[in-house]
Amino acid sequence: GVKVNIKEPYDGQIVSSTTFQIKGQVFRAKEIKIQGSPINIDTDGNFDETLTSSYPYTLIIVEASDKYNNKVTKVLRVIPR
């Protein structure tokens, strides 16, 4: 099935500004969405997107699906300083 590995940020991380990077890698994924919007991945499944956080915290929802429509959802929280 599909697998999502988020390298940064980690859940509960304090980010130093209202914009931050989310980086990770997906395996066996046909589509990946962050905050409901499709994003691009490279040929190895890596992604690197800039997001905006707001007070008191922001929930990041990462969804990935494979060609059989199996889905994985990861939710993490970042806190702007």
Side-chain angles (χ1 to χ4, degrees):
V2 63
K3 184 177 171 190
V4 177
N5 178 18
I6 298 172
K7 297 174 182 167
E8 65 177 75
Y10 59 83
D11 186 34
Q13 182 171 334
I14 295 171
V15 292
S16 59
S17 69
T18 55
T19 60
F20 63 96
Q21 296 294 113
I22 181 168
K23 297 179 183 181
Q25 188 174 22
V26 292
F27 303 92
R28 295 179 297 281
K30 177 186 77 173
E31 182 179 51
I32 178 169
K33 294 180 180 179
I34 297 178
Q35 307 301 69
S37 297
I39 63 162
N40 293 321
I41 56 175
D42 69 14
T43 54
D44 295 322
N46 295 299
F47 60 90
D48 182 349
E49 294 288 312
T50 301
L51 298 179
T52 304
S53 64
S54 56
Y55 293 97
Y57 62 87
T58 298
L59 284 178
I60 304 166
I61 301 168
V62 180
E63 302 167 289
S65 59
D66 67 12
K67 64 183 179 181
Y68 303 110
N69 215 25
N70 296 310
K71 293 184 179 179
V72 170
T73 302
K74 296 256 181 150
V75 178
L76 50 122
R77 182 180 54 153
V78 295
I79 302 161
R81 185 179 309 165

